[in-house]
Amino acid sequence: GVMTIRGCAYAGSKGVVWGPVKDMVHISHGPVGCGQYSWSQRRNYYVGTTGIDTFVTMQFTSDFQEKDIVFGGDKKLEKIIDEIEDLFPLSGGISVQSECPIGLIGDDIEAVSRKKAKEHEKTIVPVRCEGFRGVSQSLGHHIANDAIRDWVFDKDDVDFESGPYDVNVVGDYNIGGDAWASRILLEEIGLRVVGNWSGDATLAEIERAPKAKLNLIHCYRSMNYICRHMEEKYGIAW
């Protein structure tokens, strides 16, 4: 990514939107630098056991080398996904956070994700968040939101009975535990928070988001795109 005071598109997707989803493994797909630089930089607090059902503070990278740039990294990505499934079978799914070289050499992360999702019967989300796509985090937010729209919503049958006071808190990343405080207050006034994402979130909370009656948006800049989509497609106000 662009190593300035601002982040890049990868930082917006991996560091902000997808990274805090606690029960998924997020692969920094590319050279080790971006993953290492973005590893454990934000205090996205979560409840769970690291390495068992939560993976936020762990770092997964495909560690691209010169030979991967020359010959392509699709086979390496397949192998990594298989290894993750062997090592962490309780993970809820995987996201592939692509770094600059992936877009430059034209690797087909979508085809790999479809193939392995079918093989392992698990949600695998390819995110085209290569850093060069935008020199601030903002475009990365948009790309990450589009990945939720295209690869998570309406892909599985969601066994969830919705109620009249169901709300999502969208765009709260639980930096320091603030999302927990918001959730308590909202539930004390009679609302039911069915999803708080992506801070302390599970994949299931995102999957059932379209069943809520209202989206309460905390960080407008990072999540307005998905809230607009839910309003247009499902009629959920925000």
Side-chain angles (χ1 to χ4, degrees):
V2 179
M3 302 296 265
T4 65
I5 199 67
R6 297 299 299 153
C8 61
Y10 159 85
S13 175
K14 196 262 185 183
V16 179
V17 177
W18 279 104
V21 181
K22 65 183 179 181
D23 68 339
M24 293 180 74
V25 168
H26 308 288
I27 303 170
S28 292
H29 187 34
V32 70
C34 301
Q36 174 64 20
Y37 187 69
S38 63
W39 174 41
S40 203
Q41 296 298 307
R42 292 160 59 90
R43 304 184 311 279
N44 303 114
Y45 290 166
Y46 59 86
V47 175
T49 305
T50 298
I52 304 297
D53 57 358
T54 51
F55 306 92
V56 177
T57 53
M58 298 181 77
Q59 156 66 340
F60 298 84
T61 178
S62 51
D63 187 25
F64 254 51
Q65 305 297 315
E66 279 185 39
K67 68 178 184 300
D68 300 311
I69 302 294
V70 175
F71 298 111
D74 285 349
K75 284 187 171 57
K76 191 170 195 178
L77 180 60
E78 287 189 26
K79 185 181 178 188
I80 288 164
I81 291 170
D82 290 341
E83 286 178 356
I84 288 169
E85 185 60 19
D86 286 342
L87 289 167
F88 305 107
L90 298 179
S91 71
I94 295 169
S95 79
V96 181
Q97 306 290 321
S98 52
E99 299 170 15
C100 287
I102 307 308
L104 292 170
I105 65 177
D107 272 7
D108 195 347
I109 62 172
E110 291 82 6
V112 172
S113 297
R114 284 191 194 94
K115 176 184 175 184
K116 289 298 172 182
K118 192 173 180 182
E119 209 172 288
H120 296 302
E121 298 181 335
K122 196 164 270 193
T123 299
I124 300 177
V125 182
V127 191
R128 283 283 177 190
C129 57
E130 293 92 349
F132 63 76
R133 293 180 184 272
V135 293
S136 79
Q137 294 184 15
S138 194
L139 184 63
H141 303 153
H142 198 162
I143 292 166
N145 282 212
D146 288 352
I148 293 169
R149 177 196 68 196
D150 297 338
W151 294 84
V152 179
F153 284 175
D154 306 323
K155 289 295 178 276
D156 290 318
D157 292 329
V158 178
D159 183 19
F160 179 74
E161 193 172 328
S162 60
Y165 302 106
D166 289 353
V167 300
N168 295 311
V169 178
V170 184
D172 192 322
Y173 303 99
N174 208 31
I175 300 172
D178 39 321
W180 294 328
S182 299
R183 190 170 198 145
I184 290 166
L185 291 169
L186 291 167
E187 292 183 342
E188 281 183 350
I189 65 171
L191 300 174
R192 182 170 73 151
V193 179
V194 298
N196 188 111
W197 40 288
S198 52
D200 196 34
T202 60
L203 177 61
E205 288 183 57
I206 301 175
E207 288 175 334
R208 67 178 177 240
K211 292 181 177 290
K213 300 297 188 287
L214 178 70
N215 283 322
L216 301 173
I217 187 164
H218 187 153
C219 176
Y220 173 87
R221 188 176 187 188
S222 64
M223 288 289 197
N224 73 86
Y225 316 101
I226 200 67
C227 289
R228 290 175 193 276
H229 169 70
M230 281 194 270
E231 182 177 40
E232 288 168 13
K233 184 166 184 182
Y234 309 107
I236 303 171
W238 55 280

